[in-house]
Amino acid sequence: MNFFALTENRHSVRKFSSKSVSDSTIQKVLSMAQTAPSAGDLKSYRVDIVREEGKKQKLAAAALGQEFVATAPVVLAFSALPEKSQKKYGERGRSLYAVQDATIVCAYVQLAAADMGLGSCWVGALNEKEVRRVLELPPQAVPVALLPIGYEADE
C-alpha cells in the first residue's frame, strides 16, 4: 500500500473479530520495530506480546477500564527503558529519549499492522504501576502504550 493511502486509511479499531493472528504475522509486524529510529540506536524500549486471556483482562482494567483491549487477539505493550538511554545521554536520555524511542517504535508497529490488514488502537491512558505488575516488568521499565491488534470486526 502507498504510504499516504496507508496513513489516510488507518483508523482506531475497538471491535475485533474472533479470528486469531498468527505468530508469524506478529513477528513480521514486529520486524518493523528494527527499522524505527532510536536515539543513538540504543533501542531503549521493550515490547511484550500478550495473548493470555487473563492478562489481557488485567491490562484492560489497567487501561482505566477500556474493555476492548481484552477483546483483541494480541496486545502489544511498549515500555521505555530510561536507564539504558541515560547511560549515553544523561538526564535528557532518561526523561525524554527513551520515551520517544518507545512511542516511535509503537507507531511503526501500528502502521505495519495496518499495512498487513490488521486493526489496532493506541492506548496511552493506563496505570503504569498496574501494567508493570501485570507484565512483571522490571522496576526501571516505564509502560507508555498498549496496542491491541487483530482483525477488525466490521468497518
Side-chain angles (χ1 to χ4, degrees):
M1 183 181 288
N2 165 310
F3 179 76
F4 292 99
L6 173 67
T7 56
E8 287 172 4
N9 291 315
R10 192 220 58 81
H11 57 278
S12 294
V13 172
R14 292 179 180 85
K15 281 184 95 171
F16 298 95
S17 78
S18 59
K19 182 179 176 182
S20 68
V21 179
S22 71
D23 288 340
S24 63
T25 299
I26 291 299
Q27 289 308 315
K28 188 168 183 181
V29 166
L30 286 174
S31 71
M32 289 310 298
Q34 299 303 312
T35 69
S38 169
D41 201 28
L42 296 175
K43 301 189 184 329
S44 56
Y45 59 82
R46 69 179 273 160
V47 182
D48 288 273
I49 303 168
V50 180
R51 289 183 178 275
E52 297 170 50
E53 293 302 322
K55 273 192 180 181
K56 291 189 305 180
Q57 289 291 337
K58 290 175 183 175
L59 287 176
L64 312 180
Q66 296 181 73
E67 293 301 320
F68 74 91
V69 170
T71 67
V74 180
V75 178
L76 301 178
F78 295 83
S79 299
L81 301 175
E83 290 179 1
K84 189 172 184 180
S85 193
Q86 182 180 20
K87 289 177 185 174
K88 184 169 184 176
Y89 295 112
E91 184 52 38
R92 188 154 175 87
R94 176 178 192 69
S95 64
L96 179 63
Y97 298 165
V99 172
Q100 288 176 329
D101 282 0
T103 55
I104 291 169
V105 77
C106 184
Y108 269 53
V109 168
Q110 186 174 40
L111 290 173
D115 191 56
M116 293 188 67
L118 296 166
S120 66
C121 183
W122 185 296
V123 177
L126 50 83
N127 178 319
E128 287 181 24
K129 185 178 178 182
E130 188 60 19
V131 170
R132 189 179 290 112
R133 187 190 67 73
V134 170
L135 298 176
E136 300 176 10
L137 297 174
Q140 66 272 21
V142 179
V144 295
L146 300 175
L147 192 67
I149 291 180
Y151 294 98
E152 189 170 6
D154 52 33
E155 291 192 30

